[in-house]
Coordinates of all heavy atoms in Angstrom, one line a residue:
M1 N 76.9 -30.3 -82.3 CA 76.6 -30.2 -83.7 C 75.2 -29.4 -83.8 O 74.2 -29.9 -83.3 CB 76.4 -31.6 -84.2 CG 76.0 -31.7 -85.7 SD 77.3 -32.1 -86.7 CE 76.5 -32.2 -88.3
P2 N 75.2 -28.3 -84.5 CA 74.0 -27.5 -84.5 C 73.0 -28.2 -85.4 O 73.4 -28.9 -86.4 CB 74.4 -26.2 -85.1 CG 75.7 -26.4 -85.8 CD 76.3 -27.6 -85.1
K3 N 71.7 -28.0 -85.1 CA 70.7 -28.5 -86.1 C 70.3 -27.3 -86.9 O 70.2 -26.2 -86.3 CB 69.6 -29.2 -85.4 CG 68.5 -28.4 -84.9 CD 67.4 -29.2 -84.2 CE 66.5 -28.3 -83.4 NZ 65.9 -28.8 -82.3
Y4 N 70.0 -27.5 -88.1 CA 69.6 -26.3 -89.0 C 68.1 -26.3 -89.2 O 67.5 -27.4 -89.5 CB 70.4 -26.4 -90.3 CG 71.8 -26.0 -90.2 CD1 72.8 -26.9 -89.8 CD2 72.2 -24.7 -90.4 CE1 74.1 -26.5 -89.6 CE2 73.5 -24.3 -90.2 CZ 74.4 -25.2 -89.9 OH 75.7 -24.8 -89.7
M5 N 67.5 -25.1 -89.1 CA 66.1 -25.0 -89.3 C 65.9 -24.1 -90.5 O 66.5 -23.0 -90.5 CB 65.4 -24.4 -88.1 CG 65.5 -25.3 -86.9 SD 64.6 -24.6 -85.5 CE 62.9 -24.5 -86.1
K6 N 65.1 -24.5 -91.5 CA 64.8 -23.7 -92.6 C 63.9 -22.6 -92.2 O 62.8 -22.8 -91.6 CB 64.2 -24.5 -93.7 CG 65.1 -25.5 -94.3 CD 64.4 -26.4 -95.4 CE 65.4 -27.5 -95.9 NZ 64.7 -28.4 -96.7
V7 N 64.2 -21.3 -92.6 CA 63.4 -20.2 -92.1 C 62.9 -19.3 -93.3 O 62.0 -18.5 -93.1 CB 64.2 -19.3 -91.1 CG1 64.4 -20.1 -89.8 CG2 65.5 -18.8 -91.7
A8 N 63.5 -19.4 -94.5 CA 63.1 -18.5 -95.6 C 63.7 -19.1 -96.9 O 64.5 -19.9 -96.9 CB 63.6 -17.1 -95.3
K9 N 63.1 -18.5 -97.9 CA 63.6 -18.8 -99.3 C 64.6 -17.7 -99.7 O 64.3 -16.5 -99.4 CB 62.5 -18.9 -100.3 CG 61.5 -20.0 -100.0 CD 62.1 -21.3 -100.4 CE 61.0 -22.4 -100.3 NZ 61.6 -23.8 -100.4
V10 N 65.6 -18.0 -100.5 CA 66.6 -17.0 -100.9 C 65.9 -15.9 -101.6 O 66.2 -14.7 -101.4 CB 67.6 -17.6 -101.8 CG1 68.5 -16.6 -102.5 CG2 68.5 -18.6 -101.0
N11 N 64.9 -16.2 -102.5 CA 64.3 -15.1 -103.3 C 63.3 -14.2 -102.5 O 62.8 -13.2 -103.0 CB 63.6 -15.7 -104.5 CG 62.4 -16.6 -104.2 OD1 62.0 -16.7 -103.0 ND2 61.9 -17.3 -105.2
E12 N 63.1 -14.6 -101.2 CA 62.2 -13.8 -100.4 C 63.1 -12.7 -99.7 O 62.5 -11.8 -99.0 CB 61.6 -14.6 -99.3 CG 60.6 -15.6 -99.8 CD 60.1 -16.6 -98.7 OE1 60.8 -16.7 -97.6 OE2 59.1 -17.2 -98.9
M13 N 64.4 -12.8 -99.7 CA 65.3 -11.9 -99.0 C 66.3 -11.3 -99.9 O 67.5 -11.7 -99.9 CB 65.9 -12.6 -97.8 CG 64.9 -12.9 -96.7 SD 65.6 -13.0 -95.1 CE 66.5 -11.5 -95.0
P14 N 66.0 -10.3 -100.7 CA 67.0 -9.7 -101.5 C 68.1 -8.9 -100.7 O 67.8 -8.7 -99.5 CB 66.2 -8.7 -102.4 CG 64.9 -8.5 -101.7 CD 64.7 -9.7 -100.9
P15 N 69.2 -8.6 -101.3 CA 70.3 -7.9 -100.6 C 69.7 -6.6 -99.9 O 68.9 -5.9 -100.5 CB 71.3 -7.5 -101.7 CG 71.1 -8.6 -102.7 CD 69.6 -8.9 -102.7
G16 N 70.2 -6.4 -98.7 CA 69.8 -5.2 -98.0 C 68.5 -5.3 -97.1 O 68.1 -4.4 -96.5
T17 N 68.0 -6.6 -97.1 CA 66.8 -6.8 -96.3 C 67.1 -7.5 -95.0 O 68.1 -8.1 -94.8 CB 65.7 -7.6 -97.1 OG1 66.3 -8.9 -97.5 CG2 65.2 -6.9 -98.3
A18 N 66.1 -7.3 -94.1 CA 66.2 -7.9 -92.8 C 64.8 -8.6 -92.4 O 63.8 -8.1 -92.9 CB 66.5 -6.9 -91.7
R19 N 64.8 -9.6 -91.7 CA 63.6 -10.3 -91.2 C 63.8 -10.9 -89.9 O 64.9 -11.2 -89.5 CB 63.1 -11.3 -92.2 CG 62.5 -10.8 -93.4 CD 62.1 -11.8 -94.4 NE 61.0 -12.6 -94.0 CZ 60.4 -13.5 -94.8 NH1 60.8 -13.7 -96.0 NH2 59.4 -14.2 -94.3
E20 N 62.7 -11.1 -89.2 CA 62.7 -11.8 -87.9 C 62.1 -13.2 -88.0 O 61.1 -13.3 -88.8 CB 61.8 -11.1 -86.9 CG 62.1 -9.7 -86.5 CD 61.0 -9.1 -85.6 OE1 59.9 -9.2 -86.0 OE2 61.4 -8.6 -84.6
F21 N 62.6 -14.1 -87.3 CA 62.1 -15.5 -87.3 C 62.0 -16.0 -85.9 O 62.9 -15.8 -85.1 CB 63.0 -16.4 -88.1 CG 63.0 -16.0 -89.6 CD1 64.0 -15.2 -90.0 CD2 62.0 -16.4 -90.4 CE1 64.0 -14.8 -91.4 CE2 62.0 -16.0 -91.7 CZ 63.0 -15.2 -92.2
H22 N 61.1 -16.9 -85.6 CA 61.0 -17.7 -84.4 C 61.6 -19.0 -84.8 O 61.1 -19.7 -85.7 CB 59.6 -17.8 -83.9 CG 59.1 -16.5 -83.4 ND1 59.0 -16.2 -82.0 CD2 58.6 -15.4 -84.0 CE1 58.5 -15.0 -81.9 NE2 58.2 -14.5 -83.1
A23 N 62.6 -19.4 -84.1 CA 63.2 -20.7 -84.4 C 63.8 -21.3 -83.1 O 64.5 -20.7 -82.3 CB 64.4 -20.6 -85.4
D24 N 63.3 -22.5 -82.7 CA 63.9 -23.2 -81.6 C 63.7 -22.4 -80.3 O 64.6 -22.4 -79.4 CB 65.3 -23.6 -81.8 CG 65.8 -24.7 -80.9 OD1 65.1 -25.6 -80.7 OD2 67.0 -24.6 -80.4
G25 N 62.6 -21.7 -80.2 CA 62.3 -21.0 -78.9 C 63.0 -19.6 -78.9 O 62.9 -18.9 -77.9
K26 N 63.7 -19.3 -79.9 CA 64.4 -18.0 -79.9 C 63.8 -17.1 -81.0 O 63.1 -17.6 -81.9 CB 65.9 -18.2 -80.3 CG 66.6 -19.1 -79.4 CD 68.0 -19.3 -79.9 CE 68.9 -20.2 -79.1 NZ 68.5 -21.5 -79.0
V27 N 64.0 -15.8 -80.9 CA 63.7 -14.9 -82.0 C 65.0 -14.5 -82.6 O 65.9 -14.0 -81.9 CB 62.9 -13.7 -81.5 CG1 62.4 -12.9 -82.8 CG2 61.7 -14.1 -80.7
I28 N 65.2 -14.7 -83.9 CA 66.4 -14.5 -84.6 C 66.2 -13.5 -85.7 O 65.2 -13.5 -86.4 CB 67.0 -15.8 -85.1 CG1 67.3 -16.8 -83.9 CG2 68.2 -15.7 -86.0 CD1 67.6 -18.2 -84.3
A29 N 67.2 -12.6 -85.9 CA 67.1 -11.7 -87.0 C 68.0 -12.1 -88.1 O 69.2 -12.5 -87.9 CB 67.6 -10.3 -86.5
L30 N 67.5 -12.1 -89.3 CA 68.3 -12.6 -90.5 C 68.5 -11.4 -91.5 O 67.5 -10.7 -91.7 CB 67.5 -13.7 -91.2 CG 68.1 -14.4 -92.4 CD1 69.4 -15.1 -92.1 CD2 67.1 -15.3 -93.0
F31 N 69.7 -11.3 -92.0 CA 70.0 -10.2 -92.9 C 70.7 -10.7 -94.2 O 71.5 -11.6 -94.1 CB 71.0 -9.2 -92.2 CG 70.5 -8.7 -90.8 CD1 70.8 -9.4 -89.7 CD2 69.7 -7.6 -90.8 CE1 70.3 -9.0 -88.5 CE2 69.3 -7.1 -89.6 CZ 69.5 -7.8 -88.4
N32 N 70.5 -10.0 -95.2 CA 71.2 -10.2 -96.5 C 72.1 -9.0 -96.7 O 71.7 -7.9 -97.0 CB 70.2 -10.4 -97.7 CG 70.9 -10.7 -99.0 OD1 72.1 -10.4 -99.1 ND2 70.2 -11.4 -99.9
V33 N 73.4 -9.3 -96.6 CA 74.4 -8.3 -96.9 C 75.1 -8.6 -98.2 O 75.9 -9.5 -98.2 CB 75.5 -8.2 -95.7 CG1 76.5 -7.2 -96.0 CG2 74.8 -8.0 -94.4
D34 N 74.7 -7.9 -99.2 CA 75.3 -8.1 -100.5 C 75.3 -9.6 -101.0 O 76.3 -10.1 -101.5 CB 76.8 -7.6 -100.6 CG 76.9 -6.1 -100.4 OD1 75.9 -5.4 -100.8 OD2 77.9 -5.6 -99.8
G35 N 74.2 -10.3 -100.7 CA 74.1 -11.6 -101.2 C 74.5 -12.7 -100.2 O 74.3 -13.9 -100.4
K36 N 75.1 -12.3 -99.1 CA 75.5 -13.2 -98.0 C 74.5 -13.1 -96.8 O 74.2 -11.9 -96.5 CB 76.9 -13.0 -97.6 CG 78.0 -13.6 -98.5 CD 79.3 -13.6 -97.9 CE 79.4 -14.8 -96.9 NZ 80.8 -14.9 -96.3
F37 N 74.2 -14.2 -96.2 CA 73.2 -14.1 -95.1 C 73.9 -14.3 -93.8 O 74.8 -15.0 -93.6 CB 72.2 -15.3 -95.3 CG 71.3 -15.1 -96.5 CD1 71.7 -15.7 -97.7 CD2 70.2 -14.2 -96.5 CE1 70.9 -15.5 -98.9 CE2 69.5 -14.0 -97.6 CZ 69.8 -14.7 -98.8
F38 N 73.4 -13.5 -92.8 CA 73.9 -13.5 -91.5 C 72.7 -13.5 -90.5 O 71.7 -12.8 -90.7 CB 74.8 -12.2 -91.2 CG 76.0 -12.2 -92.1 CD1 75.9 -11.5 -93.3 CD2 77.1 -12.8 -91.7 CE1 77.0 -11.5 -94.2 CE2 78.3 -12.8 -92.6 CZ 78.2 -12.1 -93.8
A39 N 72.9 -14.2 -89.4 CA 71.8 -14.2 -88.4 C 72.4 -13.8 -87.0 O 73.5 -14.3 -86.6 CB 71.2 -15.6 -88.3
I40 N 71.6 -13.0 -86.3 CA 72.0 -12.6 -84.9 C 70.8 -12.7 -84.1 O 69.6 -12.8 -84.6 CB 72.6 -11.2 -84.8 CG1 71.6 -10.2 -85.3 CG2 73.9 -11.1 -85.7 CD1 72.0 -8.7 -85.1
D41 N 71.0 -12.7 -82.8 CA 69.8 -12.6 -81.9 C 69.0 -11.4 -82.1 O 69.6 -10.3 -82.4 CB 70.3 -12.7 -80.4 CG 69.2 -13.0 -79.5 OD1 68.4 -12.1 -79.0 OD2 69.0 -14.2 -79.2
N42 N 67.7 -11.5 -82.1 CA 66.8 -10.4 -82.5 C 66.8 -9.3 -81.4 O 66.3 -8.2 -81.7 CB 65.4 -10.9 -82.8 CG 64.6 -9.9 -83.5 OD1 64.9 -9.3 -84.5 ND2 63.4 -9.6 -82.9
T43 N 67.2 -9.6 -80.2 CA 67.0 -8.7 -79.1 C 68.1 -7.7 -78.9 O 69.2 -8.1 -78.5 CB 66.7 -9.5 -77.8 OG1 65.7 -10.5 -78.1 CG2 66.3 -8.6 -76.7
C44 N 67.8 -6.4 -79.0 CA 68.8 -5.4 -78.8 C 69.2 -5.4 -77.3 O 68.3 -5.6 -76.4 CB 68.2 -4.0 -79.2 SG 69.3 -2.7 -78.9
L45 N 70.5 -5.2 -77.1 CA 71.0 -5.3 -75.7 C 70.7 -4.0 -74.9 O 71.1 -3.9 -73.7 CB 72.4 -5.7 -75.7 CG 72.7 -7.1 -76.2 CD1 74.2 -7.4 -76.3 CD2 72.0 -8.1 -75.3
H46 N 70.2 -3.0 -75.5 CA 69.8 -1.8 -74.8 C 68.5 -2.0 -74.0 O 68.6 -2.3 -72.8 CB 69.7 -0.6 -75.8 CG 69.3 0.7 -75.2 ND1 68.4 1.5 -75.7 CD2 69.6 1.2 -74.0 CE1 68.2 2.6 -74.9 NE2 69.0 2.4 -73.9
R47 N 67.4 -2.1 -74.7 CA 66.1 -2.4 -74.0 C 65.3 -3.4 -74.7 O 64.0 -3.3 -74.6 CB 65.4 -1.1 -73.8 CG 66.1 -0.1 -72.9 CD 65.2 0.8 -72.1 NE 66.0 1.8 -71.4 CZ 65.6 3.0 -71.3 NH1 64.5 3.5 -71.8 NH2 66.4 3.8 -70.6
G48 N 65.9 -4.2 -75.5 CA 65.1 -5.3 -76.1 C 64.4 -5.0 -77.4 O 63.5 -5.8 -77.8
G49 N 64.9 -4.0 -78.1 CA 64.3 -3.7 -79.4 C 64.5 -4.8 -80.4 O 65.4 -5.6 -80.3
P50 N 63.6 -4.9 -81.4 CA 63.6 -5.9 -82.4 C 64.6 -5.6 -83.6 O 64.2 -4.9 -84.5 CB 62.2 -6.0 -82.9 CG 61.7 -4.6 -82.8 CD 62.4 -4.0 -81.6
L51 N 65.8 -6.2 -83.5 CA 66.8 -5.8 -84.5 C 66.4 -6.2 -85.9 O 66.8 -5.6 -86.9 CB 68.1 -6.4 -84.1 CG 68.7 -5.9 -82.8 CD1 70.0 -6.7 -82.5 CD2 68.9 -4.4 -82.9
G52 N 65.6 -7.3 -86.1 CA 65.2 -7.7 -87.4 C 64.2 -6.7 -88.1 O 63.9 -6.9 -89.2
Q53 N 63.7 -5.8 -87.3 CA 62.9 -4.7 -87.9 C 63.7 -3.4 -88.1 O 63.1 -2.4 -88.5 CB 61.7 -4.4 -86.9 CG 60.8 -5.6 -86.7 CD 59.7 -5.3 -85.7 OE1 59.3 -4.1 -85.5 NE2 59.1 -6.3 -85.1
G54 N 65.0 -3.5 -87.9 CA 65.8 -2.3 -88.1 C 66.2 -2.1 -89.5 O 66.1 -3.0 -90.3
A55 N 66.7 -0.9 -89.8 CA 67.2 -0.6 -91.1 C 68.6 -1.2 -91.3 O 69.5 -1.0 -90.4 CB 67.2 0.9 -91.4
L56 N 68.9 -1.8 -92.4 CA 70.2 -2.4 -92.7 C 70.9 -1.5 -93.7 O 70.4 -1.3 -94.8 CB 70.1 -3.8 -93.2 CG 71.4 -4.5 -93.5 CD1 72.2 -4.8 -92.2 CD2 71.1 -5.9 -94.2
E57 N 72.1 -1.0 -93.3 CA 72.9 -0.3 -94.3 C 74.3 -0.9 -94.4 O 75.0 -1.0 -93.3 CB 73.1 1.2 -93.8 CG 72.4 2.2 -94.7 CD 72.7 3.6 -94.3 OE1 73.7 4.1 -94.6 OE2 71.8 4.1 -93.6
D58 N 74.7 -1.4 -95.6 CA 75.9 -2.2 -95.7 C 75.7 -3.4 -94.7 O 74.8 -4.2 -94.7 CB 77.1 -1.4 -95.5 CG 78.4 -2.1 -95.9 OD1 78.3 -3.2 -96.6 OD2 79.5 -1.7 -95.4
K59 N 76.7 -3.5 -93.7 CA 76.5 -4.6 -92.8 C 76.1 -4.2 -91.4 O 76.3 -4.9 -90.4 CB 77.9 -5.4 -92.7 CG 79.0 -4.6 -92.2 CD 80.3 -5.4 -92.2 CE 81.4 -4.6 -91.6 NZ 82.6 -5.4 -91.4
V60 N 75.6 -3.0 -91.3 CA 75.2 -2.4 -90.0 C 73.7 -2.2 -89.9 O 73.1 -1.6 -90.7 CB 75.9 -1.0 -89.7 CG1 75.4 -0.4 -88.5 CG2 77.4 -1.2 -89.7
V61 N 73.1 -2.8 -88.8 CA 71.7 -2.6 -88.6 C 71.5 -1.6 -87.4 O 72.3 -1.6 -86.5 CB 71.0 -4.0 -88.2 CG1 71.5 -4.6 -86.9 CG2 69.5 -3.8 -88.2
T62 N 70.5 -0.8 -87.6 CA 70.2 0.2 -86.6 C 68.9 -0.2 -85.9 O 67.9 -0.4 -86.5 CB 70.0 1.6 -87.2 OG1 71.2 1.9 -87.9 CG2 69.6 2.7 -86.2
C63 N 69.0 -0.4 -84.6 CA 67.8 -0.7 -83.8 C 66.7 0.3 -84.0 O 66.9 1.5 -83.9 CB 68.1 -0.8 -82.3 SG 66.7 -1.2 -81.3
P64 N 65.4 -0.2 -84.3 CA 64.4 0.8 -84.6 C 63.9 1.6 -83.3 O 63.2 2.6 -83.5 CB 63.2 -0.1 -85.1 CG 63.5 -1.4 -84.6 CD 65.0 -1.5 -84.4
W65 N 64.3 1.2 -82.1 CA 63.8 1.8 -81.0 C 64.6 3.1 -80.6 O 64.0 4.1 -80.4 CB 63.7 0.9 -79.8 CG 62.5 -0.1 -79.9 CD1 61.7 -0.2 -81.0 CD2 62.1 -1.0 -78.9 NE1 60.7 -1.2 -80.7 CE2 60.9 -1.7 -79.5 CE3 62.5 -1.4 -77.6 CZ2 60.2 -2.7 -78.8 CZ3 61.8 -2.3 -77.0 CH2 60.7 -3.0 -77.5
H66 N 65.9 2.9 -80.4 CA 66.7 4.1 -80.0 C 68.0 4.3 -80.7 O 68.9 5.0 -80.3 CB 67.0 4.0 -78.5 CG 65.9 3.6 -77.6 ND1 65.7 2.3 -77.2 CD2 64.8 4.3 -77.1 CE1 64.6 2.2 -76.5 NE2 64.1 3.4 -76.4
G67 N 68.2 3.5 -81.8 CA 69.3 3.7 -82.7 C 70.6 3.1 -82.4 O 71.6 3.4 -83.0
W68 N 70.7 2.1 -81.4 CA 71.9 1.4 -81.3 C 72.2 0.6 -82.6 O 71.3 0.2 -83.3 CB 71.9 0.4 -80.1 CG 72.0 1.0 -78.8 CD1 71.7 2.3 -78.4 CD2 72.5 0.3 -77.6 NE1 71.9 2.5 -77.1 CE2 72.4 1.3 -76.5 CE3 72.9 -1.0 -77.3 CZ2 72.8 1.0 -75.2 CZ3 73.3 -1.3 -76.0 CH2 73.3 -0.3 -75.0
Q69 N 73.5 0.5 -82.9 CA 73.9 -0.1 -84.2 C 74.8 -1.3 -83.9 O 75.7 -1.3 -83.0 CB 74.6 0.9 -85.0 CG 73.7 2.0 -85.5 CD 74.4 3.0 -86.5 OE1 75.5 3.4 -86.2 NE2 73.7 3.3 -87.6
Y70 N 74.6 -2.3 -84.7 CA 75.4 -3.6 -84.6 C 75.9 -4.0 -86.0 O 75.1 -3.9 -87.0 CB 74.5 -4.7 -84.1 CG 73.9 -4.5 -82.7 CD1 72.7 -3.8 -82.6 CD2 74.6 -4.9 -81.6 CE1 72.2 -3.5 -81.3 CE2 74.0 -4.7 -80.3 CZ 72.8 -4.0 -80.2 OH 72.3 -3.8 -78.9
D71 N 77.1 -4.6 -86.0 CA 77.6 -5.2 -87.2 C 76.9 -6.6 -87.3 O 77.2 -7.5 -86.4 CB 79.1 -5.3 -87.1 CG 79.8 -6.0 -88.3 OD1 79.1 -6.8 -89.0 OD2 81.0 -5.7 -88.5
V72 N 76.1 -6.9 -88.3 CA 75.4 -8.1 -88.3 C 76.3 -9.3 -88.7 O 75.9 -10.5 -88.5 CB 74.2 -8.1 -89.3 CG1 73.3 -6.9 -88.9 CG2 74.6 -8.0 -90.7
T73 N 77.5 -9.1 -89.2 CA 78.4 -10.2 -89.5 C 79.1 -10.7 -88.3 O 79.6 -11.8 -88.3 CB 79.4 -9.8 -90.5 OG1 80.3 -8.8 -90.0 CG2 78.8 -9.2 -91.8
T74 N 79.1 -9.9 -87.2 CA 79.8 -10.4 -86.0 C 78.9 -10.3 -84.7 O 79.3 -10.8 -83.7 CB 81.1 -9.5 -85.7 OG1 80.6 -8.1 -85.5 CG2 82.0 -9.6 -86.9
G75 N 77.8 -9.5 -84.8 CA 77.0 -9.2 -83.6 C 77.6 -8.1 -82.7 O 77.0 -7.7 -81.7
Q76 N 78.7 -7.5 -83.2 CA 79.4 -6.5 -82.4 C 78.7 -5.2 -82.4 O 78.3 -4.7 -83.5 CB 80.8 -6.4 -82.9 CG 81.7 -5.4 -82.2 CD 82.2 -6.0 -80.8 OE1 82.7 -7.1 -80.8 NE2 81.9 -5.2 -79.8
S77 N 78.6 -4.5 -81.3 CA 78.1 -3.1 -81.2 C 79.0 -2.2 -82.0 O 80.3 -2.4 -81.8 CB 77.9 -2.7 -79.8 OG 77.8 -1.3 -79.7
V78 N 78.5 -1.3 -82.7 CA 79.4 -0.3 -83.4 C 80.0 0.6 -82.4 O 81.1 1.1 -82.6 CB 78.6 0.4 -84.5 CG1 79.4 1.6 -85.1 CG2 78.1 -0.6 -85.6
F79 N 79.3 0.9 -81.4 CA 79.8 2.0 -80.4 C 80.5 1.5 -79.2 O 81.2 2.2 -78.6 CB 78.5 2.8 -79.9 CG 77.8 3.4 -81.1 CD1 76.5 3.0 -81.3 CD2 78.3 4.4 -81.9 CE1 75.7 3.5 -82.4 CE2 77.6 4.9 -82.9 CZ 76.3 4.5 -83.2
N80 N 80.3 0.2 -78.8 CA 80.9 -0.3 -77.6 C 81.4 -1.7 -77.8 O 80.7 -2.6 -78.0 CB 79.8 -0.3 -76.5 CG 80.3 -0.7 -75.2 OD1 81.4 -1.3 -75.1 ND2 79.6 -0.3 -74.1
Q81 N 82.7 -1.8 -77.8 CA 83.4 -3.1 -78.1 C 83.0 -4.2 -77.1 O 83.2 -5.3 -77.3 CB 84.9 -2.9 -78.0 CG 85.4 -2.1 -79.2 CD 85.1 -2.7 -80.6 OE1 85.5 -3.9 -80.8 NE2 84.4 -2.0 -81.4
E82 N 82.5 -3.8 -75.9 CA 82.1 -4.8 -74.9 C 80.7 -5.4 -75.1 O 80.3 -6.2 -74.4 CB 82.3 -4.2 -73.5 CG 83.7 -3.9 -73.2 CD 83.9 -3.2 -71.8 OE1 82.9 -3.2 -71.1 OE2 85.0 -2.7 -71.6
I83 N 80.0 -4.9 -76.1 CA 78.6 -5.3 -76.3 C 78.6 -6.1 -77.6 O 79.0 -5.6 -78.6 CB 77.7 -4.1 -76.3 CG1 77.6 -3.5 -74.9 CG2 76.3 -4.5 -76.8 CD1 76.8 -2.2 -74.9
R84 N 78.0 -7.3 -77.5 CA 77.9 -8.1 -78.7 C 76.6 -9.0 -78.5 O 76.4 -9.6 -77.5 CB 79.1 -9.0 -78.8 CG 79.2 -10.0 -79.9 CD 80.3 -10.9 -79.8 NE 81.6 -10.3 -79.9 CZ 82.3 -10.2 -81.1 NH1 81.8 -10.8 -82.1 NH2 83.5 -9.7 -81.1
V85 N 75.8 -9.1 -79.6 CA 74.7 -10.0 -79.5 C 75.1 -11.4 -80.1 O 76.0 -11.4 -80.9 CB 73.5 -9.5 -80.3 CG1 72.8 -8.3 -79.6 CG2 73.8 -9.2 -81.7
P86 N 74.5 -12.5 -79.6 CA 74.9 -13.8 -80.2 C 74.6 -13.9 -81.7 O 73.7 -13.2 -82.2 CB 73.9 -14.7 -79.4 CG 73.5 -14.0 -78.2 CD 73.5 -12.6 -78.6
T87 N 75.5 -14.6 -82.3 CA 75.3 -14.9 -83.8 C 75.0 -16.4 -84.0 O 75.2 -17.2 -83.1 CB 76.6 -14.6 -84.5 OG1 77.7 -15.4 -84.0 CG2 77.0 -13.1 -84.4
Y88 N 74.4 -16.6 -85.1 CA 74.0 -18.0 -85.5 C 74.6 -18.3 -86.9 O 74.7 -17.4 -87.7 CB 72.5 -18.2 -85.5 CG 71.9 -17.9 -84.2 CD1 71.4 -16.6 -83.9 CD2 71.8 -18.9 -83.2 CE1 70.9 -16.3 -82.6 CE2 71.2 -18.6 -82.0 CZ 70.8 -17.3 -81.7 OH 70.3 -17.0 -80.5
E89 N 74.9 -19.6 -87.1 CA 75.4 -20.0 -88.4 C 74.2 -20.0 -89.4 O 73.1 -20.3 -89.0 CB 76.0 -21.4 -88.3 CG 77.3 -21.4 -87.6 CD 78.0 -22.7 -87.7 OE1 77.9 -23.4 -88.7 OE2 78.7 -23.0 -86.7
V90 N 74.5 -19.7 -90.6 CA 73.5 -19.7 -91.7 C 74.0 -20.5 -92.8 O 75.2 -20.4 -93.2 CB 73.2 -18.3 -92.2 CG1 72.2 -18.3 -93.3 CG2 72.8 -17.3 -91.0
K91 N 73.2 -21.4 -93.4 CA 73.6 -22.0 -94.6 C 72.5 -22.0 -95.6 O 71.3 -22.0 -95.3 CB 74.2 -23.4 -94.4 CG 73.2 -24.5 -94.0 CD 74.0 -25.8 -93.8 CE 73.1 -26.9 -93.5 NZ 73.8 -28.1 -93.1
V92 N 72.9 -21.9 -96.9 CA 72.0 -21.9 -98.0 C 72.0 -23.2 -98.7 O 73.1 -23.7 -99.0 CB 72.3 -20.8 -99.0 CG1 71.4 -20.8 -100.2 CG2 72.2 -19.4 -98.2
E93 N 70.9 -23.9 -98.8 CA 70.8 -25.2 -99.4 C 69.8 -25.0 -100.6 O 68.6 -25.0 -100.3 CB 70.3 -26.3 -98.5 CG 71.3 -26.5 -97.3 CD 70.7 -27.5 -96.3 OE1 69.5 -27.3 -95.9 OE2 71.4 -28.4 -95.8
G94 N 70.3 -24.9 -101.8 CA 69.3 -24.7 -102.9 C 68.7 -23.3 -102.7 O 69.4 -22.3 -102.6
D95 N 67.3 -23.3 -102.6 CA 66.6 -22.1 -102.4 C 66.3 -21.8 -101.0 O 65.7 -20.8 -100.6 CB 65.2 -22.2 -103.1 CG 65.4 -22.2 -104.6 OD1 66.4 -21.8 -105.1 OD2 64.5 -22.6 -105.3
D96 N 66.7 -22.7 -100.1 CA 66.4 -22.5 -98.7 C 67.5 -21.9 -97.8 O 68.7 -22.2 -98.0 CB 66.1 -23.9 -98.0 CG 64.8 -24.5 -98.6 OD1 63.8 -23.8 -98.7 OD2 64.9 -25.7 -99.0
I97 N 67.1 -21.0 -96.9 CA 68.0 -20.4 -96.0 C 67.8 -21.1 -94.6 O 66.6 -21.2 -94.2 CB 67.8 -18.9 -95.8 CG1 67.9 -18.2 -97.1 CG2 68.9 -18.4 -94.8 CD1 67.4 -16.8 -97.1
A98 N 68.8 -21.7 -94.1 CA 68.7 -22.4 -92.8 C 69.6 -21.8 -91.7 O 70.7 -21.4 -92.0 CB 69.0 -23.9 -93.0
I99 N 69.0 -21.7 -90.5 CA 69.8 -21.2 -89.4 C 70.2 -22.3 -88.4 O 69.4 -23.2 -88.1 CB 68.9 -20.1 -88.7 CG1 68.7 -18.9 -89.6 CG2 69.6 -19.6 -87.4 CD1 67.8 -17.8 -89.0
G100 N 71.4 -22.2 -88.0 CA 71.9 -23.2 -87.1 C 71.6 -22.9 -85.6 O 71.9 -21.8 -85.2
V101 N 70.8 -23.8 -85.0 CA 70.5 -23.6 -83.6 C 71.0 -24.8 -82.8 O 71.6 -25.7 -83.4 CB 68.9 -23.5 -83.4 CG1 68.4 -22.2 -84.1 CG2 68.2 -24.7 -84.0
E102 N 70.9 -24.7 -81.5 CA 71.5 -25.8 -80.7 C 70.9 -27.1 -81.1 O 69.8 -27.3 -81.4 CB 71.1 -25.5 -79.2 CG 71.8 -24.3 -78.6 CD 73.3 -24.3 -78.8 OE1 73.9 -25.3 -78.4 OE2 73.8 -23.3 -79.2
G103 N 71.8 -28.1 -81.0 CA 71.4 -29.5 -81.4 C 70.7 -30.2 -80.3 O 70.5 -29.8 -79.2
Ligands
FES201 S1 66.2 -1.0 -77.6 FE1 67.6 -1.0 -79.2 S2 68.5 1.0 -79.1 FE2 67.1 1.0 -77.4

């Protein structure tokens, strides 16, 4: 059963935005895709770039370091089906956005 940690307010993250958070010893990237929130591990699998600092277009984030791209709804690399970053559950409770981490 994951435990949920509140990391942001809904009004702090309009559609199309991305942010990084430290939660439960991890760094997690949170994205707003057309009003729905998605969370993935912040660390790019190329050389560790910060995905939460990348540009989000539709549901694809581009790593700011060398341009690898990931679907933030699944963690899947756009270019290589064998590469996927971990994803985390997100729930919205009132104005709060909470990320599910290990219980
Ligand atoms: S570290 Fe992300 S593309 Fe190189």
Side-chain angles (χ1 to χ4, degrees):
M1 178 102 178
K3 85 182 171 209
Y4 283 86
M5 295 184 62
K6 293 177 185 173
V7 294
K9 299 282 185 192
V10 170
N11 64 8
E12 296 170 340
M13 290 211 50
T17 57
R19 284 177 69 172
E20 298 173 310
F21 296 95
H22 292 261
D24 200 39
K26 304 176 178 66
V27 187
I28 296 172
L30 178 66
F31 303 90
N32 183 335
V33 178
D34 293 331
K36 283 193 74 177
F37 293 96
F38 298 91
I40 63 173
D41 198 272
N42 192 55
T43 306
C44 178
L45 294 174
H46 179 219
R47 297 211 184 138
L51 297 176
Q53 295 177 27
L56 181 66
E57 248 185 79
D58 190 18
K59 61 181 185 172
V60 174
V61 65
T62 302
C63 178
W65 284 8
H66 317 98
W68 281 28
Q69 294 184 312
Y70 299 86
D71 179 333
V72 304
T73 68
T74 62
Q76 183 73 54
S77 162
V78 171
F79 303 114
N80 185 337
Q81 291 300 305
E82 293 177 10
I83 293 176
R84 181 190 292 265
V85 291
T87 57
Y88 300 93
E89 289 188 32
V90 180
K91 73 179 179 187
V92 176
E93 295 172 318
D95 291 340
D96 293 311
I97 306 167
I99 293 176
V101 292
E102 295 302 312

